[in-house]
Amino acid sequence: ITASAADTVTFNGKSALSDIEFTVEDTASGIDTSKIVFTIGKNEITAEKADYGTISSTKVNESDDLKYTVKLSISATQAAALVAEVNTNALSSGSTYSISATLYDKAGNYATQTARSIEVDTTAPTVKITAPNNKENYVKSTRDVTLAINDVGTVKSAKYAIFKAITDGSKYESATPLAEADLSFDADTSVSPSLKIDISSLLTSTDASKKLSDGDTFVVCVKATDNAENESSYDNGVSST
């Protein structure tokens, strides 16, 4: 059995995982595709036991049963089942597991191969705006915003958006942001991206959907994503005067 990849991938228990692939070859009796078994941790996946994944196989040569490409695909629903509390063999966040396949030939001989490892990370980054304070008056057109983003893995990306809010800042006036942009930083477990909010163009905008006026309340929202595609966001209401 030859695995197509032996790398480690991150797994968040929410997103689909595909392209887990083996090539299996037998020189005598041929491959018995009815007995393919994948294992992730203590979770077993077969054609009959497909709660945690779906197996497919394709002949390499149509003329014989000696060589197959075997794939395991995990849907978003199956990914959630792998980490669900009701699963007695649930994969735990912070742990790494091997994905292996056992294949049989028609004479009953078998071999097992590890395809790759998955690092389980179901924990979203923590995002905090530490300054300015919530609902602090905004007396200049520009203002530095201090951020702290932390993750058990690696913070991969972050972006900010400005939303107009109702007067007390308790909810957005519109789901469409007045402005938004990606934040620049080097990926790490703990980052503090530089963010300078400039609302001068919003104060002078002739577009009502992109307009802020004196006394309006707006919200700065920061969303962060880690390497496992877990997301979290934090917002802070600030009044402009």
Side-chain angles (χ1 to χ4, degrees):
I1 304 173
T2 303
S4 63
D7 57 331
T8 299
V9 296
T10 54
F11 176 72
N12 63 13
K14 297 184 285 289
S15 303
L17 189 62
S18 59
D19 298 328
I20 303 164
E21 183 176 305
F22 292 86
T23 298
V24 57
E25 185 172 9
D26 184 72
T27 57
S29 61
I31 305 301
D32 186 350
T33 56
S34 69
K35 293 183 178 179
I36 301 171
V37 182
F38 275 87
T39 305
I40 306 176
K42 295 182 179 180
N43 298 281
E44 192 172 272
I45 303 166
T46 66
E48 294 77 23
K49 297 168 62 177
D51 290 342
Y52 309 123
T54 302
I55 298 171
S56 62
S57 59
T58 306
K59 282 185 179 182
V60 174
N61 302 308
E62 284 297 326
S63 59
D64 59 54
D65 292 329
L66 298 180
K67 191 173 183 179
Y68 280 81
T69 297
V70 178
K71 292 183 180 181
L72 172 66
S73 298
I74 301 171
S75 69
T77 300
Q78 291 164 332
L82 278 167
V83 299
E85 291 184 4
V86 295
N87 177 6
T88 56
N89 296 315
L91 306 184
S92 300
S93 187
S95 298
T96 300
Y97 300 87
S98 295
I99 301 177
S100 62
T102 300
L103 295 106
Y104 292 76
D105 66 17
K106 292 180 179 179
N109 302 302
Y110 67 90
T112 299
Q113 171 74 44
T114 297
R116 65 177 58 183
S117 296
I118 56 172
E119 182 179 348
V120 182
D121 178 4
T122 61
T123 305
T126 60
V127 184
K128 185 72 174 177
I129 297 175
T130 58
N133 295 324
N134 191 38
K135 299 183 181 179
E136 183 176 325
N137 285 340
Y138 198 106
V139 295
K140 296 180 180 179
S141 60
T142 61
R143 182 68 181 268
D144 290 323
V145 177
T146 305
L147 303 174
I149 306 175
N150 298 280
D151 189 62
V152 295
T154 301
V155 182
K156 180 179 71 172
S157 63
K159 66 186 302 180
Y160 83 91
I162 297 174
F163 294 89
K164 191 173 182 180
I166 63 174
T167 304
D168 66 1
S170 61
K171 66 178 182 179
Y172 300 169
E173 186 175 278
S174 171
T176 303
L178 301 173
E180 60 182 337
D182 293 329
L183 296 172
S184 178
F185 58 90
D186 293 328
D188 205 339
T189 57
S190 180
V191 298
S192 299
S194 175
L195 173 57
K196 182 183 289 291
I197 298 294
D198 186 347
I199 62 168
S200 56
S201 62
L202 300 178
L203 291 169
T204 59
S205 176
T206 57
D207 181 351
S209 66
K210 303 291 184 182
K211 174 72 172 173
L212 278 176
S213 301
D214 284 352
D216 281 347
T217 297
F218 67 90
V219 176
V220 178
C221 178
V222 177
K223 177 182 288 186
T225 304
D226 66 15
N227 273 354
E229 301 300 331
N230 298 300
E231 289 185 346
S232 63
S233 59
Y234 181 90
D235 61 36
N236 203 13
V238 186
S239 298
S240 70
T241 59

